[in-house]
Amino acid sequence: MSPLGLIAGEGVLPLLVARGARAEGRQVVCAAFRGHAWPELREECDEFHWVGTLRLSSWIRVLRAGGCHEAVMVGRVAKHRMYDRWRYFRYIPDWRTARLWFTVLRHDKRPYSILKAVMSELSSAGVNLIDQTRYCREHLATPGVMTRRQPTEAQWIDIHFGWQAGQQLSRLDIGQAIAVKDRDVIAVEALEGTDAMIRRAGELCPVGGWTLIKVSNTQYDMRVDVPTIGATTIERLHEARAGCVVLEAGKTLIAEKQKVIELADRYRIAVVGYDASVCPPPPG
Amino acid sequence: MSPLGLIAGEGVLPLLVARGARAEGRQVVCAAFRGHAWPELREECDEFHWVGTLRLSSWIRVLRAGGCHEAVMVGRVAKHRMYDRWRYFRYIPDWRTARLWFTVLRHDKRPYSILKAVMSELSSAGVNLIDQTRYCREHLATPGVMTRRQPTEAQWIDIHFGWQAGQQLSRLDIGQAIAVKDRDVIAVEALEGTDAMIRRAGELCPVGGWTLIKVSNTQYDMRVDVPTIGATTIERLHEARAGCVVLEAGKTLIAEKQKVIELADRYRIAVVGYDASVCPPPPG
């Protein structure tokens, strides 16, 4: 089997993927985003190269030289930096990236449009992206309440209400999360990222006990954007007095799942894996 | 004709309504929200009483004593204060309000649910709310570009894209505005209010030139929540480097319209009244 390419952004997920792939006996060749990927990722890979986030040609060079036909692209890149006025100086995009940016993406910089363009560019160079969760399935959210802590009755109402609203929002390809309290949407995430949205929800709802609904903005394309939470998310939720977090079962990653669930229980935050079979909509 | 009741929150709109009604020869009896309504409103009304925002019985008492069968409810009440943990001490709701809050609204505090409950309570006491714009029509947004400043080509693309996204969002009864740049939704307003959302969009998009789309979250019930902008909105947009603001023609109020349009032109912000006849969707 050819080595697995790993295009790596921020966070622990690239490490989990590298470990998972090597545990199954597959070599890992990593193109790590400079300024985003964690340096300790180097220890987990057979080959490791730093690349610029906007230098698509470099990623392709690294993966092709490593003999990869398949790759996982995983880990966060703070998208809002793309709107910074000095962005071109900081990243200096290469010709492939510049061509995408100024032709295909000229007036359409929605997250999924960018990712689709990147996927098709990689694919034309012989590298196909595969499901991000392929080598870290044990970290996926499971159906039902994962914590010992259970949602309150009022939170269950917010869960059902918020899940419907979140599903409708996700079709608009805007953000990845909403905050709900008493069937009122307190905050909607767009470009600012989930952490900033959690902080805002906490300020807007000091009485606490609100629910975070995590959705995907990309029709759940498992190759490019699996919704993910980690220990930091739980810390932020605790600071913002949230009472519950809802994830789609089987389609959301909990990076370092066991640690995260323990932490949530300590803070009395219920973690729910939403699934139509275990969480039927309320009657009426 | 019976006197017009005026239930007044924050801002210049209650003054414009009072002036408009009296210009048409109608007396005005005002129940003004303490801590929200402007004191100078007193000069514009025939009768004037301060009331608590959460004291529905007081509003009704004032309006009935004044002989009102019709009322306009207008001006902002910062909804996020409702989630403050000391809210009950600060406002001390009366029995009518408490009954609504703890029965009808127990698990449903979405803006329009609250307003519908308030309307039906007023109506059962013989006071019917009428269209907020009835006495200030000259301040409604008109179709087309209202400023000398025209949107750029890229902004027109954002306007059409953002209008579609905004319409879909408005059906979810969440917020009143979204910010768009290059067909990407930068920020979505929920409980924080438009000003806070504008500030966030400015931080997330320092390159500027983004477009604010103002929508309604209540299926345009002209009795309770006509989307409104004013001079302050334009100041905030300027600080946040916005390039354009889009309002629904005929259904959005521009408080002190002439002043606002002049200010927008000075800051080179295009103000567009969206209307299917003058702003047809782009081909394809």
Side-chain angles (χ1 to χ4, degrees):
Chain A
M1 195 185 285
S2 69
L4 178 71
L6 177 60
I7 303 166
E10 209 174 25
V12 74
L13 270 182
L15 278 87
L16 300 177
V17 170
R19 271 177 217 156
R22 292 176 87 188
E24 294 191 24
R26 194 160 184 187
Q27 287 206 306
V28 176
V29 173
C30 183
F33 290 147
R34 194 174 292 119
H36 298 280
W38 290 359
E40 49 268 56
L41 183 55
R42 183 186 288 273
E43 316 306 318
E44 309 285 348
C45 302
D46 297 280
E47 247 189 73
F48 185 90
H49 302 271
W50 289 111
V51 297
T53 46
L54 291 191
R55 310 207 67 180
L56 206 34
S57 309
S58 317
W59 321 351
I60 290 174
R61 207 176 313 119
V62 164
L63 300 180
R64 287 179 63 119
C68 307
H69 304 299
E70 284 183 346
V72 170
M73 183 161 74
V74 75
R76 216 172 75 100
V77 173
K79 187 165 76 79
H80 67 82
R81 297 191 195 167
M82 289 184 191
Y83 289 96
D84 191 297
R85 53 180 50 238
W86 306 112
R87 60 187 186 262
Y88 299 118
F89 297 91
R90 197 185 294 154
Y91 295 110
I92 317 172
D94 60 27
W95 68 268
R96 271 189 195 269
T97 317
R99 186 162 51 81
L100 281 188
W101 199 256
F102 290 110
T103 59
V104 185
L105 298 169
R106 181 155 156 62
H107 291 306
D108 185 359
K109 300 197 178 65
R110 283 172 297 177
Y112 193 53
S113 304
I114 296 177
L115 291 167
K116 260 199 302 199
V118 166
M119 275 197 286
S120 104
E121 198 68 21
L122 284 170
S123 172
S124 76
V127 179
N128 294 304
L129 290 188
I130 63 168
D131 187 337
Q132 293 184 327
T133 69
R134 170 66 186 84
Y135 291 105
C136 56
R137 293 213 195 282
E138 72 276 22
H139 295 270
L140 282 170
T142 48
V145 181
M146 286 170 272
T147 40
R148 290 192 309 279
R149 173 74 178 178
Q150 301 290 314
T152 64
E153 194 198 331
Q155 281 165 354
W156 272 117
I157 293 172
D158 283 346
I159 290 169
H160 293 302
F161 165 77
W163 185 258
Q164 307 303 328
Q167 291 309 102
Q168 291 176 278
L169 271 169
S170 80
R171 277 179 223 122
L172 301 181
D173 192 17
I174 292 176
Q176 296 222 338
I178 61 171
V180 175
K181 167 82 176 179
D182 290 343
R183 296 188 67 198
D184 191 15
V185 178
I186 294 168
V188 176
E189 178 195 335
L191 198 67
E192 72 274 26
T194 306
D195 284 358
M197 186 277 250
I198 290 172
R199 201 178 317 121
R200 183 166 79 247
E203 286 161 10
L204 291 167
C205 185
V207 72
W210 55 274
T211 294
L212 181 80
I213 318 276
K214 184 93 180 166
V215 294
S216 167
N217 59 352
T218 56
Q219 291 86 47
Y220 292 109
D221 188 323
M222 305 294 273
R223 294 171 297 172
V224 289
D225 192 22
V226 178
T228 303
I229 70 159
T232 320
T233 318
I234 302 294
E235 292 287 354
R236 297 283 165 280
L237 287 170
H238 170 63
E239 287 159 17
R241 297 172 178 273
C244 187
V245 51
V246 181
L247 314 164
E248 186 166 10
K251 296 192 169 173
T252 312
L253 280 169
I254 307 179
E256 302 182 289
K257 190 171 167 192
Q258 209 186 331
K259 194 173 130 190
V260 167
I261 298 297
E262 281 167 21
L263 190 64
D265 261 324
R266 193 179 326 143
Y267 289 142
R268 305 173 66 80
I269 294 170
V271 181
V272 179
Y274 203 98
D275 180 299
S277 67
V278 291
C279 311
Chain B
M1 196 184 284
S2 69
L4 178 71
L6 177 60
I7 303 166
E10 209 174 26
V12 74
L13 271 182
L15 279 85
L16 300 178
V17 169
R19 270 177 219 156
R22 292 178 87 188
E24 293 192 24
R26 195 162 183 184
Q27 286 204 306
V28 176
V29 173
C30 182
F33 290 148
R34 196 176 290 117
H36 298 279
W38 290 359
E40 50 267 55
L41 183 56
R42 183 186 288 272
E43 317 305 319
E44 309 284 348
C45 303
D46 297 281
E47 247 189 74
F48 185 90
H49 303 272
W50 290 109
V51 296
T53 45
L54 292 190
R55 311 207 67 180
L56 205 35
S57 310
S58 317
W59 321 351
I60 290 173
R61 207 176 313 118
V62 164
L63 300 180
R64 285 179 63 118
C68 307
H69 305 299
E70 285 183 347
V72 170
M73 185 162 72
V74 74
R76 217 173 75 102
V77 172
K79 186 164 75 80
H80 66 83
R81 297 189 195 167
M82 289 183 191
Y83 289 97
D84 192 296
R85 51 179 52 237
W86 306 113
R87 60 186 186 263
Y88 299 119
F89 298 92
R90 198 183 295 152
Y91 295 110
I92 319 174
D94 60 28
W95 68 267
R96 270 187 195 269
T97 316
R99 185 163 52 80
L100 281 186
W101 198 255
F102 291 110
T103 57
V104 186
L105 298 169
R106 183 157 154 61
H107 291 307
D108 185 0
K109 300 198 178 65
R110 284 173 296 177
Y112 193 52
S113 306
I114 296 177
L115 291 167
K116 260 199 302 201
V118 166
M119 275 197 286
S120 102
E121 198 67 21
L122 284 171
S123 171
S124 76
V127 179
N128 293 304
L129 290 187
I130 62 169
D131 186 337
Q132 293 184 326
T133 69
R134 169 67 186 80
Y135 292 105
C136 55
R137 292 214 195 283
E138 71 276 21
H139 295 271
L140 282 169
T142 48
V145 182
M146 285 169 273
T147 39
R148 290 192 308 278
R149 173 74 177 179
Q150 300 291 313
T152 64
E153 192 197 335
Q155 280 165 354
W156 272 117
I157 293 172
D158 283 346
I159 289 169
H160 292 303
F161 165 77
W163 186 256
Q164 307 303 327
Q167 291 308 102
Q168 291 176 279
L169 272 168
S170 80
R171 277 179 223 122
L172 302 180
D173 191 17
I174 292 176
Q176 296 223 339
I178 60 171
V180 175
K181 167 82 175 180
D182 291 342
R183 295 188 67 198
D184 192 15
V185 177
I186 294 167
V188 176
E189 177 193 338
L191 199 67
E192 73 274 27
T194 307
D195 284 358
M197 186 277 248
I198 290 172
R199 202 178 316 120
R200 182 166 80 249
E203 285 161 12
L204 292 165
C205 184
V207 72
W210 56 274
T211 294
L212 180 80
I213 317 277
K214 185 93 180 166
V215 293
S216 168
N217 59 352
T218 57
Q219 292 86 45
Y220 291 112
D221 188 323
M222 305 294 273
R223 293 171 299 173
V224 288
D225 191 22
V226 178
T228 303
I229 69 160
T232 321
T233 319
I234 301 295
E235 293 287 352
R236 297 284 166 279
L237 287 169
H238 170 62
E239 287 159 18
R241 296 171 179 274
C244 187
V245 51
V246 181
L247 314 165
E248 185 166 12
K251 295 191 169 174
T252 312
L253 280 168
I254 307 178
E256 302 183 289
K257 189 170 167 192
Q258 208 186 331
K259 195 173 131 190
V260 166
I261 298 297
E262 281 168 21
L263 190 65
D265 261 323
R266 193 178 326 143
Y267 288 142
R268 305 171 67 78
I269 295 170
V271 181
V272 179
Y274 203 97
D275 180 301
S277 67
V278 292
C279 312

